[in-house]
Amino acid sequence: MSKPNKKRYRLSEVKQQMTDAVGGAEVEFETDAGDVLTFPHPLFTDDEWDERVDGAENAHDKAVAILGEEQYEKYRAAGHKDGDIALLMLRIQQDMQDQVRKRPTRS
């Protein structure tokens, strides 16, 4: 039984609100060569993706874990360094925090 004056969250609604707030469940970015690459937004990753990324031992392994082999090859062919993906992830995190602050998840 719910307590009076308490908000009950419906997880599916919160997830949809957060998806909308951060612009979708996937991150899309463009390389300097014009290729559009994608990977799961960090809020919406699955356990397998998390384990691959968290288990990466260096910048190269982390970039491959985030992008996958095929997209990684396009990323490198465009002249990007392995460590550049960390800059992108930092920007995504900053944008996510900014968007979450702007949109309350309670109605």
Side-chain angles (χ1 to χ4, degrees):
M1 177 185 242
S2 182
K3 295 180 181 180
N5 300 320
K6 288 283 186 171
K7 172 70 176 175
R8 178 179 289 169
Y9 295 92
R10 185 176 302 267
L11 189 53
S12 60
E13 291 174 5
V14 171
K15 186 174 181 179
Q16 185 59 54
Q17 289 170 346
M18 296 306 292
T19 302
D20 294 344
V22 299
E26 279 195 338
V27 172
E28 184 177 281
F29 71 101
E30 185 174 334
T31 68
D32 290 345
D35 294 312
V36 176
L37 307 179
T38 63
F39 58 89
H41 191 285
L43 280 177
F44 307 109
T45 58
D46 59 28
D47 292 341
E48 182 180 316
W49 191 90
D50 290 342
E51 288 174 15
R52 247 187 356 260
V53 173
D54 292 345
E57 295 185 13
N58 54 48
H60 167 77
D61 293 346
K62 190 163 290 261
V64 172
I66 290 169
L67 298 174
E69 290 285 344
E70 185 178 321
Q71 290 193 122
Y72 175 77
E73 293 302 324
K74 291 179 182 178
Y75 175 80
R76 289 294 291 170
H80 299 289
K81 298 177 184 175
D82 291 333
D84 291 345
I85 202 77
L87 296 173
L88 178 60
M89 295 298 282
L90 179 60
R91 181 55 189 256
I92 291 163
Q93 183 177 22
Q94 290 172 340
D95 288 348
M96 176 177 56
Q97 290 171 344
D98 290 345
Q99 288 303 315
V100 169
R101 282 189 205 114
K102 291 178 188 176
R103 286 188 181 214
T105 57
R106 292 169 59 147
S107 32

